[in-house]
Amino acid sequence: MSTVAVFPGSFDPLTNGHVDIISRGARLFDRIIVAILVNAEKRPLFTMDERVEIVRHVFRDRPNVEVDTFDGLLVDYVERRQAQVIVRGLRAVSDFEFEFQMTLMNRRLSPGIETVFMMPAEQYTYISSRLIKEVFSLGGRVHGLVPELVEQRLRGKV
Ligand code: PNS
């Protein structure tokens, strides 16, 4: 039986930290579905189409990486896709509390789904989508922290 993992998130935008986790997941699982939450934020910077396009572009040479969108409960989506695993990235201790709550809630809702945490390479441990947007909007350099296509698209948004 093949193991399918779901990597859920807002991806507004995709960062190199996300790319690192997805690549690790793609080596570990038979298939990894990058599941972008619809309406995660009321006013995302990147449209859903842009976010899907960016992930698709970055992983165009990785056939076991799929991109999809979802709304509603994550565990319902995971069950619908017949996946067994939720992948989440852990950067710092500060991530732990929220992730711990989500994992236990998801386990209560659907005990058969296992959450697996992965740590990104250390050079990405301080990156978040929120910080990328803030730094870029204030004129800071984000080169090397996000894929090229994200950088291009950010430039188009100023
Ligand atoms: O990129 P993010 O914002 O850290 O991702 C958070 C996400 C999408 C994983 C979380 O908000 C989520 O799972 N939302 C779907 C609704 C849901 O299932 N909520 C209960 C989680 S315990």
Side-chain angles (χ1 to χ4, degrees), residues 128-143:
S128 68
S129 299
R130 188 187 59 75
L131 224 82
I132 293 290
K133 285 184 280 193
E134 185 175 319
V135 168
F136 188 84
S137 72
L138 297 173
R141 226 172 98 82
V142 296
H143 187 72

Side-chain angles (χ1 to χ4, degrees), residues 58-125:
V58 171
F59 290 98
R60 61 195 179 283
D61 296 327
R62 302 292 288 268
N64 69 333
V65 177
E66 188 190 317
V67 190
D68 195 9
T69 63
F70 80 104
D71 57 11
L73 275 182
L74 174 61
V75 288
D76 289 344
Y77 173 78
V78 173
E79 282 170 12
R80 216 162 47 239
R81 296 303 313 266
Q82 298 184 310
Q84 301 86 359
V85 174
I86 295 170
V87 168
R88 292 289 289 170
L90 258 193
R91 292 163 300 189
V93 178
S94 51
D95 281 342
F96 180 79
E97 194 167 338
F98 177 57
E99 295 298 334
F100 177 75
Q101 288 175 338
M102 275 208 307
T103 298
L104 294 186
M105 180 59 84
N106 284 333
R107 184 177 290 165
R108 185 185 168 91
L109 294 169
S110 184
I113 298 171
E114 210 55 66
T115 300
V116 169
F117 289 97
M118 281 195 265
M119 289 184 195
E122 62 193 48
Q123 67 265 33
Y124 303 132
T125 46

